Amino acid sequence: DIPALYIPQQLSRLDQLRFVVASLKLTRLPPRCMKCGGELKEIPKHTVATEAPPLAFRSCDRFWLCQSCSKLLWHGTHWHKIEVALAEYGLPDARQQ
């Protein structure tokens, strides 16, 4: 069976999203690559000294590499903004629950 859900049209789009998340009991999955959706693997900081932007290398301690496209990722300001938005949508970080 495929779950069906009536979404109240009088709700704002954000409230509609919260309604769907709560009604379907959706949970967050581990982060994926923003470029291709590939799985991320944490790698030691010292291995990205020449690849990471200097500011990111100085200010971040943890880095991840996409296993599909080799994109390098880190917890920069964009990551924080995404975390805030997902929590607002009703999907807080599972590690904080």
Side-chain angles (χ1 to χ4, degrees), residues 73-94:
L73 297 150
W74 58 90
H75 282 191
T77 56
H78 62 285
W79 197 295
H80 175 70
K81 290 176 186 175
I82 292 168
E83 290 290 337
V84 169
L86 289 174
E88 189 174 329
Y89 300 152
L91 289 166
D93 189 335

Side-chain angles (χ1 to χ4, degrees), residues 8-94:
Q9 298 299 306
Q10 69 272 19
L11 297 177
S12 70
R13 291 197 191 261
L14 180 55
D15 286 335
Q16 287 179 357
L17 181 56
R18 286 186 188 121
F19 180 82
V20 169
V21 167
S23 298
L24 297 179
K25 297 179 177 65
L26 299 177
T27 58
R28 284 182 52 188
L29 298 174
R32 306 284 291 201
C33 177
M34 295 184 299
K35 181 178 178 184
C36 74
E39 188 176 333
L40 301 179
K41 179 181 178 187
E42 189 166 1
I43 57 175
K45 179 177 179 172
H46 72 274
T47 65
V48 299
T50 59
E51 299 172 55
L55 179 60
F57 189 77
R58 284 192 309 271
S59 60
C60 298
D61 293 323
R62 298 174 71 192
F63 291 84
W64 291 263
L65 190 65
C66 175
Q67 299 301 287
S68 297
C69 72
S70 299
K71 181 172 179 64
L72 181 64
L73 297 150
W74 58 90
H75 282 191
T77 56
H78 62 285
W79 197 295
H80 175 70
K81 290 176 186 175
I82 292 168
E83 290 290 337
V84 169
L86 289 174
E88 189 174 329
Y89 300 152
L91 289 166
D93 189 335

